Every structure is written in C-alpha cells, then in structure tokens.
C-alpha cells in the first residue's frame, strides 16, 4: 500500500505531525522540537517525504541561505488519514494473542 510506504520510518509520522502544527519550518527548529533525531536521519526523512510529494523544500536566498520545509496539498490531505489511524490505535490498543 503506497501510503504505508510513504510514512514508513521511525520519524516520518512525528515529522508530519510537527508540520501539521506549524506548516512551514526550518530544519534546525524541527530538529529541536523532535528531540533525539539525528541531523542525518532528519535530512533523509525530509528528502524521502519530499520525493513522495508530501513536503516541499523551500530555499530562501539572502545574506545566508536557509531552507524551510512545508506541507504540500497532498501532505495536508494525509492529516485526516493519520489522525484517524491514531484514533483507531487509541480506541483499539494492542492485545496479546490469547
């Protein structure tokens, strides 16, 4: 299933939820907000999310180049799916086989 492949990875869902809260963020701020994620993994996941069309990379030229990431329209539409999945998980917690 395509959507599962798109969000596969330890940090992709937390990155997306962070962008749902603040739709345009600089990489450094996102790293601070996510806590223990390494810069390498953050960059890798952001590139993969961009390749899948969920986020876009925006470069701002000026005295110093800085990069922001923002949700695309497709990324914004994914919010409903992820919130529904989270609600389902809370309402139906994992139970071990009997």
């Amino acid at each position: 299933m395509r959507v599962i492949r798109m969000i596969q990875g330890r940090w992709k869902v937390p990155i997306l939820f962070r962008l749902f809260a603040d739709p345009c963020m600089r990489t450094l701020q996102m790293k601070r907000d996510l806590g223990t994620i390494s810069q390498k993994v953050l960059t890798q996941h952001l590139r993969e999310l961009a390749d899948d069309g969920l986020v876009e990379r925006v470069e701002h030229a000026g005295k110093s180049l800085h990069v922001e990431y923002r949700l695309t329209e497709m990324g914004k539409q994914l919010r409903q799916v992820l919130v529904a999945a989270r609600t389902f998980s809370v309402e139906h917690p994992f139970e071990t086989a009997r």
Side-chain angles (χ1 to χ4, degrees):
M1 189 185 222
R2 182 173 172 229
V3 76
I4 292 173
R5 185 195 54 76
M6 293 168 83
I7 61 171
Q8 198 171 7
R10 162 78 173 90
W11 290 100
K12 286 185 182 177
V13 172
I15 289 168
L16 288 168
F17 272 101
R18 187 62 198 96
L19 286 169
F20 294 148
D22 190 354
C24 189
M25 294 191 74
R26 293 178 76 165
T27 310
L28 186 59
Q29 183 60 47
M30 196 177 306
K31 185 176 181 320
R32 281 189 207 128
D33 291 352
L34 292 172
T36 59
I37 189 171
S38 71
Q39 185 63 48
K40 178 184 175 189
V41 171
L42 177 59
T43 300
Q44 176 185 345
H45 282 327
L46 285 168
R47 283 185 184 146
E48 290 171 4
L49 289 166
D51 289 345
D52 287 331
L54 298 175
V55 300
E56 66 179 324
R57 184 177 195 262
V58 181
E59 294 180 5
H60 295 280
K63 279 188 173 180
S64 63
L65 175 72
H66 75 271
V67 176
E68 293 179 335
Y69 286 88
R70 73 175 109 193
L71 291 170
T72 62
E73 199 54 44
M74 188 168 66
K76 292 174 186 175
Q77 291 173 9
L78 185 60
R79 180 180 185 172
Q80 294 172 314
V81 174
L82 294 178
V83 169
R86 184 172 61 181
T87 300
F88 180 87
S89 294
V90 169
E91 292 174 359
H92 304 283
F94 177 76
E95 296 179 19
T96 58
R98 297 178 194 186

